[in-house]
């Protein structure tokens, strides 16, 4: 479980805080996606969550342990997949995993064979004794997954895990995440890939300019529950727009009106307009994607 | 195995560290050996006894090094200049020879039975030694019935060691069978004695060989201000010759002056001293700076460990590596002194020397580690300590001088403040561990616990402050 409690990060020499009072939590067995435009503070939030960056205020708790004041027990329960490689390219993968396991209790330390098994699991078995510097970007990502698994944590924090992966790698990562989801692990991941989020996330935290601007439950973005209904007909004036505004957000697309909102029922639109004397020539539900919800939350791109 | 040890062990293992520190250790090893060796060959001494018989002066010479061991590679010469009592020059004689493997050389020079100036010289490729004295064999009573000569060997005010070489012959060059050397040691400052000072008396050894060259170790050191009376006693117990020796007044003063361990190393490794900061910078970069610059440390920090644990373990690794050349210097100097000088050097000066090397390397490792928290660029992490080195080597004295020069550069506090920068740590330690060197410039009063405190604080500050600064910066919440 991860809890962000009023987390603030103010970098020196920058007027705007990278994070400004961020609050959200990732429950046990839950997968939460952190989305937002570049510079929103996603990576900062994730680095604070795993303890490699110190917050200016507030704290993060991992399974109830304060990452600042109880660093060791907090870190013992979390695995981190960084957006960039954080491994010395001169080290060999097997040696790296064994070194990293040395920070955990004896029962979790990896033997030579244990490290080999971890690497086998991510498809790097035959590369176990090669220097990391010889790995491709995708291989390093896989190694990062293996390294995150060292210590067998119950919480995973991933920063842009899908970036740089080929289709096979992406499929592997989906399976990897599903497996941990099945084990009731808590997963916090940041990504720009909204279709992936729509597929795997239970909730979405939308960050912009260091603030949480919206937290979407799965019901608000998955499948077609967020919908837009296109309405066409002669004489759809301001009055019609006001009427539809009681059901959802209304926008104009040419002479058509688009009504957007969760659980919008086209029949309800028809009944409302006809009862007020309007005629309809088209009433077509259009599935609303998370991407559209995301864009609507954040407004048009600058 | 704690996570601290896990990090310490891993950060200690580096091929770059093996190469860098190994190279420096090799230089230190070479410096220590060659330094002690230079001291060894730089101090030949020559002692001789003589008797006059049948119109000839018979000399039995013994050429020895600072350990009292025989030297045989060079050329010894004896010259006599005869002058009548009215000052008339009567003639001169000279003989040259090469000492045998046992350091002994017998020479005979014809000459009149008058007062003569004696000139002794020994030279070899790297050093020479000479002395001039007057001998007067004319009166039968003045004729030395036995040969009796002492030379101080490694009489150090630091060490409780007083070693002497005694060169003895029996009457007219016969074997000194049954003769013995006795000594008495008393404190006689200003000729009035020193109440409460110990007075030692005793027999050193009984000499039975035909030609005696004996290394005599006394049970107490001989302070420079005191006198040592040595007597040669015949088998019947009568004193047939005696000498009063004072370490600082003997011809063998050079041989017997205290030689601090730092001097040994300075002789041999001075050209390499600039390497110490460089090696320190590399050690700091390898154990921490590199992973900090490359963000590899984040992969470690996410584990169940803390910033304090990571930094202390890596600083510990740097300290362990810095200890290698330091320990090598200590062990090598001790071994070389034992081999060539035949006595165990006191531990404290050796420890000071080891600490000097250790602190010099660790200070720069700490500065390198600190720099890695100022900027995440290899150029910055390597260049800034280099610039600091120049600043401390050149800028510090220039910075300190205007404030302190009115007080006098050799006023002890000024002197030590001037030295108290990371470039000068070895020299600072040298002065603290070499009382004779410090005394010559600062006066006797300053050397002691005050200097040790001064040096200790400087070393502690320079080794710990950069580390503390790095820790503070890393744990700083913006």
């Amino acid at each position: 479980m991860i809890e962000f409690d009023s987390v603030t990060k103010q970098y020196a020499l920058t007027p705007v805080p990278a994070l400004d009072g961020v609050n959200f939590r990732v429950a046990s067995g839950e997968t939460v996606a952190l989305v937002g435009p570049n510079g929103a503070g996603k990576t900062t939030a994730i680095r604070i969550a795993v303890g490699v960056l110190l917050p200016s205020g507030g704290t993060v708790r991992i399974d109830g342990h304060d990452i600042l004041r109880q660093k060791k027990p907090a870190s013992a329960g979390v695995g981190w997949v960084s957006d960039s490689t954080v491994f010395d390219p001169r080290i060999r993968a097997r040696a790296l995993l064994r070194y990293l396991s040395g920070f955990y209790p004896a029962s979790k330390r990896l033997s030579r064979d244990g490290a080999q098994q971890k690497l086998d699991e991510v498809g790097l078995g035959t590369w176990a004794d090669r220097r990391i510097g010889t790995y491709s970007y995708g291989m390093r990502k896989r190694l990062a997954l293996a390294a995150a698994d060292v210590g067998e944590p119950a919480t995973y924090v991933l920063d842009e895990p899908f970036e740089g992966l080929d289709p096979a790698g992406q499929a592997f990562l989906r399976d990897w995440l599903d497996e941990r989801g099945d084990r009731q692990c808590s997963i916090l991941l940041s990504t720009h890939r909204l279709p992936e989020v729509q597929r795997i996330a239970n909730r979405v935290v939308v960050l912009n300019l260091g603030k949480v601007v919206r937290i979407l439950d799965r019901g608000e973005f998955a499948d077609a529950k967020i919908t837009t209904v296109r309405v066409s007909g002669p004489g759809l004036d301001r009055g019609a727009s006001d009427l539809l505004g009681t059901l959802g957000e209304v926008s104009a697309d040419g002479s058509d009106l688009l009504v957007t909102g969760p659980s919008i029922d086209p029949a309800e639109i028809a009944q409302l307009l006809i009862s007020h004397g309007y005629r309809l020539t088209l009433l077509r539900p259009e599935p609303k994607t998370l991407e559209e919800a995301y864009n609507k939350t954040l407004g048009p791109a600058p | 195995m704690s996570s601290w040890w896990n990090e310490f062990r891993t950060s200690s293992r580096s091929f770059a560290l093996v190469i860098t520190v190994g190279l420096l250790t090799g230089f230190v090893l070479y410096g220590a050996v060659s330094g002690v060796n230079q001291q060894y060959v730089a101090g030949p001494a020559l002692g001789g006894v003589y008797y006059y018989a049948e119109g000839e002066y018979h000399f039995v010479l013994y050429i020895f090094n600072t350990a009292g061991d025989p030297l045989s590679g060079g050329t010894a010469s004896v010259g006599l200049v005869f002058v009548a009592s009215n000052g008339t020059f009567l003639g001169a004689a000279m003989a040259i020879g090469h000492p045998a493997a046992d350091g002994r050389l017998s020479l005979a020079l014809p000459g009149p039975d008058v007062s003569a100036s004696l000139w002794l010289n020994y030279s070899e490729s790297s050093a020479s030694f000479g002395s001039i004295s007057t001998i007067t064999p004319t009166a039968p009573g003045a004729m030395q019935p036995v040969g009796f000569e002492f030379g101080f060997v490694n009489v150090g005010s630091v060490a409780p060691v007083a070693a002497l070489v005694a060169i003895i012959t029996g009457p007219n060059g016969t074997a000194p069978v049954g003769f013995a050397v006795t000594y008495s040691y008393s404190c006689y400052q200003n000729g009035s004695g020193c109440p409460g000072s110990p007075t030692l008396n005793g027999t050193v050894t009984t000499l039975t060989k035909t030609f005696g060259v004996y290394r005599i170790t006394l049970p107490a050191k001989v302070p420079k201000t005191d006198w040592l009376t040595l007597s040669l006693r015949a088998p019947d117990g009568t004193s047939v010759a005696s000498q009063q020796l004072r370490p600082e007044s003997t011809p063998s003063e050079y041989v017997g002056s205290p030689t601090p361990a730092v001097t040994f190393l300075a002789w041999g490794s001075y050209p390499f001293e600039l390497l110490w900061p460089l090696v320190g910078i590399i050690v700091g970069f390898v154990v921490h700076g590199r992973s900090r610059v490359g963000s590899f440390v984040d992969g470690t920090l996410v584990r169940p460990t803390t910033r304090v644990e990571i930094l202390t373990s890596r600083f510990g690794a740097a300290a362990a590596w810095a200890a290698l050349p330091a320990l090598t210097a200590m062990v090598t100097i001790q071994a070389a002194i034992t081999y060539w000088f035949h006595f165990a050097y006191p531990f404290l000066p050796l420890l000071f020397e080891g600490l000097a090397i250790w602190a010099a390397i660790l200070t720069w490792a700490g500065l390198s580690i600190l720099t890695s928290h100022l900027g995440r660029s290899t150029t910055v992490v390597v260049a800034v300590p280099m610039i600091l080195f120049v600043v401390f080597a050149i800028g510090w004295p220039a910075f300190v001088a205007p404030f302190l020069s009115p007080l006098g550069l050799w006023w002890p506090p000024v002197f030590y403040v001037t030295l108290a920068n990371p470039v000068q740590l070895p020299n600072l330690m040298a002065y603290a561990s070499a009382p004779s060197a410090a005394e010559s410039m600062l006066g006797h009063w300053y050397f002691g616990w005050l200097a040790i405190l001064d040096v200790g604080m400087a070393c502690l500050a320079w080794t710990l402050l950069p580390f503390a600064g790095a820790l503070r910066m890393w744990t700083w919440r913006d």
Side-chain angles (χ1 to χ4, degrees), chain B residues 67-95:
Chain B
D69 291 336
L71 294 175
S72 60
T75 303
S77 57
V78 177
L80 286 171
V81 178
F82 305 107
V83 181
S85 57
N86 61 5
T88 307
F89 174 72
L90 299 176
M94 184 177 177

Side-chain angles (χ1 to χ4, degrees), chain B residues 1 23 40 42-43 56 58 71 88 95 119 127 133 149 154 210 215 242 246 256 269 388 439 454 456 462 469:
Chain B
M1 183 178 68
L23 206 60
Y40 171 75
E56 283 190 323
H58 296 268
L71 294 175
T88 307
W119 176 65
S133 58
E149 181 71 28
N154 294 314
T210 55
R215 187 178 299 110
S242 69
R246 193 177 179 186
S269 68
L388 280 177
E439 274 179 30
D454 191 344
W462 280 114

Side-chain angles (χ1 to χ4, degrees), chain A residues 65-82:
Chain A
H65 300 295
D66 189 325
I67 194 71
L68 292 175
R69 294 172 185 81
Q70 299 165 290
K71 170 74 172 54
K72 281 190 172 186
S75 292
V78 66
W80 176 42
V81 178
S82 166

Side-chain angles (χ1 to χ4, degrees), chain B residues 237-264:
Chain B
T238 57
S239 175
V240 293
S242 69
Q243 288 186 17
Q244 273 203 322
L245 301 174
R246 193 177 179 186
E248 65 183 8
S249 63
T250 61
S252 303
E253 163 67 10
Y254 178 69
V255 179
S257 62
T259 307
V262 286
T263 307
F264 290 127

Side-chain angles (χ1 to χ4, degrees), chain A residues 9-10 47 50-52 54-56 58 68 71-72 75 80 86-87 89-90 99-100 102-104 109 147, chain B residues 1-3 6-7 10 290 294-296 298-307 309 314 474-478:
Chain A
K9 181 65 183 178
Q10 175 77 59
R47 289 171 67 82
V50 296
V52 299
L54 295 169
S56 305
L68 292 175
K71 170 74 172 54
K72 281 190 172 186
S75 292
W80 176 42
V86 291
F87 307 126
R90 295 165 304 119
Y99 154 66
L100 295 178
F103 290 99
Y104 296 88
R109 279 182 212 136
Chain B
M1 183 178 68
S2 70
S3 51
N6 182 57
E7 183 57 30
T10 307
R290 181 169 55 190
S295 295
F296 311 139
D298 290 347
T300 300
L301 188 54
V302 74
R303 305 293 154 180
T305 183
T306 63
R307 287 169 171 78
E309 204 169 67
R314 293 181 173 188
W474 206 18
T475 54
W476 189 281
R477 293 178 67 170
D478 295 319

